[in-house]
Amino acid sequence: MADSAIRLRLRGTTPLNLDSKGRFALPTKYRDIINECSDGQLVMTVDPAGRCLLIYPEPVFEQIEDAILDAPNATEDMRKLERTVLGCAESIKLDSASRMLVSPYLRQTGQLDKKMILTGQGNKFELWNEENWNEYMQSQVIPEMSDAIRQIKI
């Protein structure tokens, strides 16, 4: 693979249900993208901010992993990032029904129960407990936009 960054277009928010075995089906609109870029190989880990789980196509995660491993880890913040993102990372493969299994550890860490939200974030997905997602979204009214946001011209 070339050294250039992989840029995907994962976007949108989808309510999902976790089955009794801890699986959920990847929405149809994402299946071709994921199969083309990673042959259904994904990596699930904990969001360093602690709000949700992150799901990356494996080649995208490997770029992040390389960046973390190449960075000096002399600071406690870098060691925390390594422990959270790399230490909690689990490789997963979509099954024949395009489902992925969330391990008991990641289900507990992500506070996942039956009702969840999957949201595309460009090169990754976030997987949220539905109640936590709704609370987060209600708190996201931006009273005054920063200069960085203003420059994007949303």
Side-chain angles (χ1 to χ4, degrees):
M1 184 174 81
D3 287 339
S4 62
I6 297 168
R7 181 167 286 202
L8 302 176
R9 302 282 191 241
L10 304 173
R11 56 177 85 101
T13 299
T14 308
L16 299 171
N17 289 313
L18 194 65
D19 72 14
S20 62
K21 294 180 182 178
R23 300 173 301 187
F24 68 93
L26 184 66
T28 305
K29 66 182 177 180
Y30 301 122
R31 291 178 189 176
D32 287 343
I33 296 170
I34 297 303
N35 285 319
E36 286 174 21
C37 80
S38 69
D39 197 29
Q41 295 289 128
L42 300 155
V43 177
M44 187 178 298
T45 192
V46 175
D47 178 10
R51 303 175 311 227
C52 61
L53 299 180
L54 304 175
I55 305 169
Y56 294 92
E58 190 173 60
V60 174
F61 184 80
E62 288 171 350
Q63 291 178 336
I64 293 164
E65 185 175 36
D66 287 345
I68 292 171
L69 294 173
D70 290 344
N73 71 350
T75 67
E76 183 60 26
D77 285 345
M78 277 306 298
R79 288 191 298 276
K80 286 178 185 177
L81 184 67
E82 286 176 351
R83 284 185 206 110
T84 303
V85 175
L86 303 183
C88 296
E90 296 182 12
S91 294
I92 52 179
K93 174 129 177 79
L94 293 177
D95 69 12
S96 60
S98 294
R99 293 175 302 199
M100 61 183 88
L101 176 67
V102 184
S103 71
Y105 174 76
L106 288 177
R107 277 185 299 216
Q108 179 183 3
T109 304
Q111 301 175 358
L112 300 180
D113 53 22
K114 185 166 177 63
K115 295 198 174 285
M116 305 181 307
I117 298 292
L118 182 75
T119 182
Q121 298 292 303
N123 286 352
K124 69 180 178 290
F125 296 106
E126 291 181 346
L127 185 62
W128 289 75
N129 166 297
E130 184 181 64
E131 186 176 314
N132 292 350
W133 170 258
N134 290 336
E135 289 173 10
Y136 175 77
M137 290 306 291
Q138 288 176 4
S139 72
Q140 293 307 300
V141 176
I142 303 173
E144 192 171 314
M145 290 193 288
S146 70
D147 287 339
I149 292 173
R150 210 174 289 113
Q151 289 176 6
I152 295 173
K153 299 181 182 174
I154 298 177

